[in-house]
Amino acid sequence: MTSSELWTRATADRYDAQETEMSSAAVLGPTLAFLAGLAGDGRALEFAIGTGRVGVPLRERGVPVVGIELSEHMAAVLRHKIDEDTLPVTIGDMATTVVDSGGFTLVYLVYNTITNLLTQDEQVECFRNAARHLEPGGRFVIELGVPPLRFLPPGQVAVPFDVSEQHLGFDTFDLVEQILVSHHFTRDGDDGRYRRGSSRHRYAWPAELDLMARIAGLELERRVADWDGAPFTQDSAKHISVWRKPT
C-alpha cells in the first residue's frame, strides 16, 4: 500500500458526473488517438484506471487494455460499463502492483494521477513498475500539469484554478515537501449549500520526472503541451511526456 488517498464510494459515484468535460469528444478524441498510435498492435496498461474514462473508449477503439486501480469503489463504477474479460482490472497500487499477463507496448497514466503518490520514492517506484511491464521499445506516457508556482505571490500559499457559480477550487502549497492540497467547494442543488472536499498531491517538475525515468531505465522520447502535440514551452500549463524502454 502506498500513501495514496483512497477514493470513497460516494466520491466514485459522483466522479463521472463531475468530469463530463474531461469525458467529452473534444478532450477524449486527441487523447485516444495519441495513445492508440503509441500502442500500435500491442496492448496497453493503464495505471489508476479509475472509472474507465480513458480505458473503456480506448478498448472500444480496438486496443487491448488492462487496468490497475487502488480504489475498489472506482473499479466498481468501471465494471458497470464493461466486463472483466474485455477489460481486466487488478486492485492495487500503481507503484508496486504487477499484472502477470505478458508485456505491454504502452503503459499510461493520465490526468495528473502520478501526484496521488505522495512521496518521491513512490513516484520513482511507479516509473520502475511501468518499465517492468513494458516490452523493449514500449512507451510510458504521463499527463501532468506544470506546478503553477509562478502564480504564487510571496507570502501567499494559495492559487485558485476554478471560480464559478457551481464550483470554487484552489490549491495550497507546501513548497518544502512539494505537497499541494486541492480544495473544492461544489454547489449541491439549488438551495445554496456547498459540499467541501480536498485531496493531497505531490507535484513534480518535468526534469524531476526525467530523472525518475532514467533511474527506471527509460529514455525521454517526446514532450508536448497537449494531446494534439502542441510544442511544450515555458508557458505551457501541462505536458504529455513519453519515455521509451530501450530495445
Side-chain angles (χ1 to χ4, degrees):
M1 177 67 69
T2 70
S3 60
S4 298
E5 296 177 344
L6 278 169
W7 292 82
T8 65
R9 179 175 180 177
T11 304
D13 289 343
R14 289 193 299 262
Y15 184 81
D16 285 347
Q18 293 176 340
E19 298 295 340
T20 54
E21 180 180 354
M22 293 300 296
S23 300
S24 67
V27 172
L28 279 182
T31 305
L32 299 175
F34 192 106
L35 295 173
L38 291 179
D41 296 328
R43 301 184 310 141
L45 171 62
E46 181 171 356
F47 284 173
I49 194 170
T51 65
R53 179 183 67 90
V54 175
V56 171
L58 186 62
R59 181 65 185 89
E60 291 171 347
R61 287 178 68 111
V63 178
V65 177
V66 175
I68 293 175
E69 173 55 43
L70 182 60
S71 169
E72 294 186 24
H73 300 297
M74 295 288 276
V77 175
L78 177 149
R79 196 50 66 216
H80 290 306
K81 306 173 184 178
I82 194 167
D83 64 83
E84 175 72 17
D85 290 337
T86 306
L87 201 166
V89 174
T90 298
I91 301 299
D93 70 82
M94 57 188 164
T96 64
T97 301
V98 176
V99 177
D100 186 16
S101 56
F104 297 86
T105 57
L106 174 67
V107 178
Y108 65 94
L109 181 54
V110 298
Y111 206 18
N112 303 320
T113 312
I114 193 170
T115 66
N116 289 0
L117 299 172
L118 298 178
T119 71
Q120 186 183 70
D121 286 344
E122 289 171 355
Q123 292 177 354
V124 169
E125 288 306 311
C126 181
F127 272 83
R128 284 178 167 155
N129 202 28
R132 183 180 298 123
H133 286 90
L134 285 172
E135 297 177 352
R139 276 91 170 186
F140 182 35
V141 177
I142 284 182
E143 175 189 23
L144 183 60
V146 176
L149 301 189
R150 295 170 67 184
F151 297 104
L152 196 63
Q156 295 191 25
V157 297
V159 174
F161 58 84
D162 185 30
V163 179
S164 66
E165 289 292 326
Q166 298 300 319
H167 179 250
L168 170 64
F170 61 92
D171 294 329
T172 54
F173 293 83
D174 179 335
L175 302 182
V176 174
E177 299 296 331
Q178 286 185 214
I179 296 292
L180 70 83
V181 180
S182 284
H183 304 267
H184 301 268
F185 293 84
T186 306
R187 189 169 185 174
D188 274 338
D190 298 323
D191 58 4
R193 292 186 298 176
Y194 283 78
R195 181 181 69 255
R196 180 177 181 176
S198 64
S199 59
R200 294 185 300 155
H201 307 266
R202 182 186 186 273
Y203 63 85
W205 301 94
E208 185 180 6
L209 298 181
D210 290 342
L211 184 56
M212 294 181 189
R214 288 177 60 187
I215 292 172
L218 304 177
E219 302 170 348
L220 179 66
E221 181 176 77
R222 184 184 182 195
R223 174 167 290 129
V224 292
D226 56 33
W227 295 107
D228 289 312
F232 179 74
T233 71
Q234 64 179 0
D235 296 319
S236 298
K238 74 173 185 178
H239 60 96
I240 314 297
S241 294
V242 182
W243 297 274
R244 184 174 181 270
K245 184 174 183 176
T247 55

